[in-house]
């Protein structure tokens, strides 16, 4: 049974990956993961492949252990893995509740490692792993402090893993967009602590389209949008102290 496994599939980038991958590749089933079963079941209305909802909370290690048991029972051939779950809190560090700091680390880092680890034995030669990352991965970001640090982890983890898995003919790519207007921001931004420049945002469709193209090119990092790529270039040549100073000036801090 040839499948794709997509976490964070109930909305935003994860949902768009479901639709785009279903159009690009013929799967027997697409296993979709998120907490909301009804949203997962609704995906079947727009896909060719059979949708298998796997509702679970990826911040709970037990859920990933249960998913590992499901894989052991079904023994599928995983062609594509997409880790697209995640959440953020944009606020000064001292004002963010500790449970949210832990939550970001659990969902943005531990869940990615856990899902990749348990799925890897079933990923076939020629398989692909997409790790949803962020522009925040390339620099320290005040007022998006812990979230940015989790995304730096994802970038390093993904690029190193891509090298390790070359011998298995499995590609890993970190997808690092700038602002993408999704439900993510309903939770991340609850006040004016961070100014999000939505006049420069991309749609989930644009980001996923670019990600699929860059994976075919064998890239280990996808940065959608010329303006975002220019920002990444600047973070490589400018001192991070200056980059953070510019960011804080934009944020009127």
């Amino acid at each position: 049974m040839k499948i794709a496994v997509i976490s964070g599939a109930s909305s935003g980038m994860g949902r768009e990956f479901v639709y785009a991958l279903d159009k690009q590749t013929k799967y027997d089933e697409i296993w979709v993961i998120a907490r909301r079963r009804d949203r997962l079941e609704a995906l079947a209305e727009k896909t060719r492949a059979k949708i298998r909802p796997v509702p679970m909370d990826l911040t709970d290690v037990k859920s990933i252990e249960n998913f590992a048991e499901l894989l052991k029972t079904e023994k599928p051939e995983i062609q594509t893995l997409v880790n697209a779950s995640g959440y953020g809190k944009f606020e000064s560090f001292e004002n963010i509740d500790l449970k949210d700091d832990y939550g970001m680390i659990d969902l943005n880092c531990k869940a990615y490692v856990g899902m990749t680890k348990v799925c890897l034995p079933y990923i076939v030669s020629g398989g692909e792993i997409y790790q949803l990352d962020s522009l925040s991965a390339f620099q320290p970001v005040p007022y998006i402090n812990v979230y940015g640090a989790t995304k730096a982890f994802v970038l390093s983890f993904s690029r190193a893993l891509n090298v390790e898995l070359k011998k298995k003919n499995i590609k890993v790519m970190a997808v690092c967009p700038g602002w993408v207007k999704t439900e993510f921001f309903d939770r991340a931004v609850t006040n004016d602590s961070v100014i999000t420049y939505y006049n420069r945002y991309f749609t989930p469709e644009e980001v996923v389209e670019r990600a699929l193209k860059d994976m075919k090119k064998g890239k280990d990092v996808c940065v959608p949008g010329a303006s975002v790529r220019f920002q990444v270039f600047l973070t490589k040549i400018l001192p991070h102290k200056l980059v953070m100073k510019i960011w804080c000036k934009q944020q009127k801090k």
Side-chain angles (χ1 to χ4, degrees), residues 22-202:
D22 181 64
K23 291 177 183 177
Q24 173 183 274
T25 306
K26 183 174 176 53
Y27 302 99
D28 296 312
E29 293 185 359
I30 300 177
W31 293 13
V32 289
I33 298 168
R35 291 177 299 173
R36 295 171 286 190
R37 174 181 284 275
D38 58 332
R39 287 211 177 184
L40 297 177
E41 291 174 343
L43 294 169
E45 299 173 3
K46 296 184 179 180
T47 59
R48 298 179 301 169
K50 178 183 177 182
I51 293 293
R52 181 184 292 206
V54 186
M56 63 183 193
D57 181 358
L58 288 173
T59 63
D60 183 354
V61 174
K62 187 65 177 176
S63 294
I64 297 177
E65 292 173 354
N66 291 339
F67 188 71
E69 287 300 315
L70 176 62
L71 290 170
K72 186 176 180 180
T73 300
E74 296 286 340
K75 295 180 174 58
E77 294 184 353
I78 300 178
Q79 180 67 37
T80 310
L81 168 64
V82 180
N83 284 312
S85 61
Y87 96 96
K89 278 289 184 179
F90 295 176
E91 173 64 274
S92 62
F93 177 75
E94 62 183 346
N95 291 334
I96 295 177
D97 194 293
L98 184 58
K99 69 179 182 180
D100 283 316
D101 291 324
Y102 287 162
M104 286 183 277
I105 294 168
D106 286 345
L107 191 55
N108 301 355
C109 298
K110 289 174 66 176
Y112 277 37
V113 172
M115 287 297 296
T116 304
K117 179 78 78 172
V118 302
C119 288
L120 187 55
Y122 304 92
I123 299 177
V124 299
S125 176
E128 300 171 343
I129 302 174
Y130 295 83
Q131 311 274 33
L132 188 60
D133 205 352
S134 169
L135 172 61
S136 303
F138 297 97
Q139 65 184 73
V141 193
Y143 304 99
I144 311 181
N145 191 332
V146 174
Y147 173 79
T150 66
K151 291 306 181 179
F153 173 90
V154 172
L155 179 62
S156 180
F157 168 60
S158 302
R159 297 192 73 184
L161 186 62
N162 182 60
V163 172
E164 290 188 36
L165 296 183
K166 282 183 186 284
K167 60 187 177 183
K168 293 181 177 290
N169 191 30
I170 296 171
K171 294 185 287 187
V172 185
M173 185 174 70
V175 183
C176 303
W179 300 126
V180 184
K181 191 66 166 64
T182 66
E183 292 178 22
F184 170 89
F185 288 100
D186 296 339
R187 188 176 186 183
V189 182
T190 56
N191 54 39
D192 60 358
S193 294
V194 172
I195 301 169
T196 49
Y197 297 95
Y198 291 138
N199 59 317
R200 294 165 58 185
Y201 75 80
F202 293 85

Side-chain angles (χ1 to χ4, degrees), residues 214-234:
D214 283 356
M215 180 65 85
K216 289 184 182 300
K217 294 177 182 178
K219 293 187 177 183
D220 64 350
V221 179
C222 168
V223 183
S227 62
V228 182
R229 288 192 290 275
F230 182 63
Q231 285 181 257
V232 171
F233 170 73
L234 290 178

